[in-house]
């Protein structure tokens, strides 16, 4: 009975792991139109304006967009999305008027649309889908 339980747990863990794309998949992927720094910043700031308590207080640090992908685990559908990734550090005010501290994000943009947003969970050190 213990062995069956361990096999079940091991299988569940394996199903939760996303497989990275192969070299051939990366070479043939549709990354969309290349996005410039200014356009990436504009799209991302619009995303934050809809989510932050005080979006005008936000302090951003953008990195240069680069080709990237997000691979979902099989439990989340197993899809892989391609585009241009832009890493962003953000510090904004909360409801009490104080800055919350820097939060790290990864935005995947394809043809001018955000297709995935990941946020770094500082406690776990993992990238998780942003809320």
């Amino acid at each position: 009975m213990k062995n069956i339980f361990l096999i079940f747990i091991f299988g569940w863990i394996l199903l939760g792991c996303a497989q990275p794309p192969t070299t051939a998949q990366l070479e043939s992927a549709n990354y969309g139109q290349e996005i410039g720094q200014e356009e990436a910043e504009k799209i991302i700031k619009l995303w934050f304006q809809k989510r932050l308590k005080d979006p005008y207080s936000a302090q951003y640090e953008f990195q240069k967009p680069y080709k990237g992908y997000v691979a979902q685990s099989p439990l989340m559908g197993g899809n892989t999305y391609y585009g241009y990734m832009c890493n962003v550090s953000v510090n904004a005010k909360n409801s009490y008027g104080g800055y919350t501290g820097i939060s790290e994000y990864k935005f995947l943009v394809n043809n001018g649309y955000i297709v995935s947003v990941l946020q770094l969970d500082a406690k776990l050190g993992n990238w998780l889908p942003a809320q």
Side-chain angles (χ1 to χ4, degrees), residues 35-46 62-65 84-86 88 107 109 114:
I35 189 168
Q37 186 73 33
E38 189 174 311
E39 184 182 359
E41 291 182 17
K42 180 181 174 185
I43 292 168
I44 293 166
K45 284 180 179 181
L46 283 172
F62 291 91
Q63 293 182 6
K64 183 178 176 184
Y84 286 85
M85 188 77 71
C86 187
V88 183
F107 287 83
V109 179
I114 295 172

Side-chain angles (χ1 to χ4, degrees), residues 20-71:
T22 65
T23 303
Q25 289 171 322
L26 290 172
E27 290 173 358
S28 66
N30 176 9
Y31 292 92
Q33 186 176 359
E34 186 172 359
I35 189 168
Q37 186 73 33
E38 189 174 311
E39 184 182 359
E41 291 182 17
K42 180 181 174 185
I43 292 168
I44 293 166
K45 284 180 179 181
L46 283 172
W47 186 88
F48 278 110
Q49 281 184 355
K50 297 175 184 175
R51 287 160 181 83
L52 295 175
K53 294 280 184 186
D54 185 0
Y56 302 105
S57 73
Q59 299 171 345
Y60 300 96
E61 186 175 319
F62 291 91
Q63 293 182 6
K64 183 178 176 184
Y66 58 93
K67 281 186 178 179
Y69 68 89
V70 172

